Amino acid sequence: KAGVTQTPRYLIKTRGQQVTLSCSPISGHRSVSWYQQTPGQGLQFLFEYFSETQRNKGNFPGRFSGRQFSNSRSEMNVSTLELGDSALYLCASSLNVRENEQFFGPGTRLTVL
Amino acid sequence: SQQGEEDPQALSIQEGENATMNCSYKTSINNLQWYRQNSGRGLVHLILIRSNEREKHSGRLRVTLDTSKKSSSLLITASRAADTASYFCATDGKNNDMRFGAGTRLTVKP
């Protein structure tokens, strides 16, 4: 099976812009979670989607949003980018809900200038 | 916010030695997972231990969980240079929140 894929792998944006990141889970996996990783805050949970519904949400402002499609692919969007949004954004998929083993993608490295 | 705290923050050992990393957490959990990350890449799942389990093994990895002390340990036996990476514990809490620790940076010298 192909692993979790994330596109794009690298992205450079400027403050105030918005960005959309994409995640394709492993075939058959229905749960997708998103995480932000920064040197200062470490790995932080953004949200989890299961069967097109947001199941859980971390402590992030409303500028961070996401969705999941019927084929389990997921996108996350960050509006009005801030310098502090520069991070590695990781997507993980699991077979059912997140309590099962998660498989991570390689991440999208976002740089906000 | 982070829940788990790994200790030590950094560990340097010689190939063939054992490496032990610890993780402490604050709230009740459904399970605890250990992950490895190489140089800012995606995480690789190593092992999941449920709250009603006390010990699990997978190859050279041994994980223990003590829910009374809210702590877990990861032991890597007979370490190899390829084990050089950052290791994170992640707790899946009763509130369905998943939190990662800051990680332990392991360096295995050949």
Side-chain angles (χ1 to χ4, degrees):
Chain A
K1 277 186 181 177
V4 178
T5 58
Q6 291 186 245
T7 56
R9 292 291 312 278
Y10 302 91
L11 202 50
I12 300 175
K13 292 283 188 179
T14 56
R15 278 183 299 174
Q17 287 186 310
Q18 75 161 23
V19 66
T20 298
L21 311 181
S22 180
C23 171
S24 293
I26 291 172
S27 177
H29 284 195
R30 296 166 63 192
S31 172
V32 173
S33 296
W34 288 90
Y35 299 86
Q36 180 197 63
Q37 186 177 28
T38 60
Q41 298 297 318
L43 274 154
Q44 296 189 86
F45 170 69
L46 280 157
F47 22 67
E48 179 198 7
Y49 287 88
F50 180 77
S51 292
E52 302 178 66
T53 301
Q54 188 179 87
R55 187 167 172 264
N56 292 295
K57 189 177 190 302
N59 190 25
F60 277 81
R63 299 185 298 106
F64 291 81
S65 63
R67 59 179 175 166
Q68 186 180 34
F69 302 95
S70 58
N71 61 358
S72 293
R73 191 176 70 84
S74 177
E75 289 181 348
M76 68 162 280
N77 184 278
V78 187
S79 62
T80 320
L81 284 166
E82 301 176 0
L83 295 178
D85 297 333
S86 293
L88 181 66
Y89 289 89
L90 293 163
C91 162
S93 76
S94 58
L95 194 58
N96 288 307
V97 293
R98 198 190 59 231
E99 283 79 4
N100 296 314
E101 176 183 352
Q102 291 187 93
F103 295 84
F104 280 78
T108 293
R109 174 78 61 186
L110 171 65
T111 302
V112 182
L113 303 176
Chain B
S1 61
Q2 295 175 335
Q3 144 130 288
E5 293 183 6
E6 282 95 339
D7 129 68
Q9 290 187 341
L11 181 61
S12 182
I13 58 174
Q14 294 294 135
E15 218 168 18
E17 295 181 335
N18 295 342
T20 300
M21 289 160 269
N22 302 298
C23 168
S24 60
Y25 57 92
K26 297 172 184 171
T27 61
S28 296
I29 62 172
N30 293 317
N31 64 64
L32 184 145
Q33 303 176 39
W34 284 91
Y35 290 86
R36 184 185 75 228
Q37 185 179 38
N38 292 83
S39 301
R41 298 180 187 173
L43 278 71
V44 174
H45 182 269
L46 295 176
I47 202 162
L48 180 154
I49 186 165
R50 301 195 186 281
S51 59
N52 61 352
E53 297 175 310
R54 292 296 165 257
E55 186 173 313
K56 282 189 88 167
H57 297 254
S58 177
R60 294 185 295 113
L61 306 180
R62 173 178 168 255
V63 168
T64 61
L65 178 64
D66 186 336
T67 52
S68 67
K69 295 181 180 178
K70 291 186 168 59
S71 67
S72 173
S73 68
L74 169 67
L75 168 68
I76 303 175
T77 60
S79 63
R80 305 166 182 168
D83 294 329
T84 294
S86 291
Y87 291 82
F88 296 89
C89 69
T91 54
D92 205 333
K94 298 289 186 185
N95 294 327
N96 287 320
D97 55 335
M98 185 144 186
R99 299 186 185 185
F100 283 78
T104 292
R105 177 68 193 167
L106 173 66
T107 302
V108 181
K109 300 174 185 176

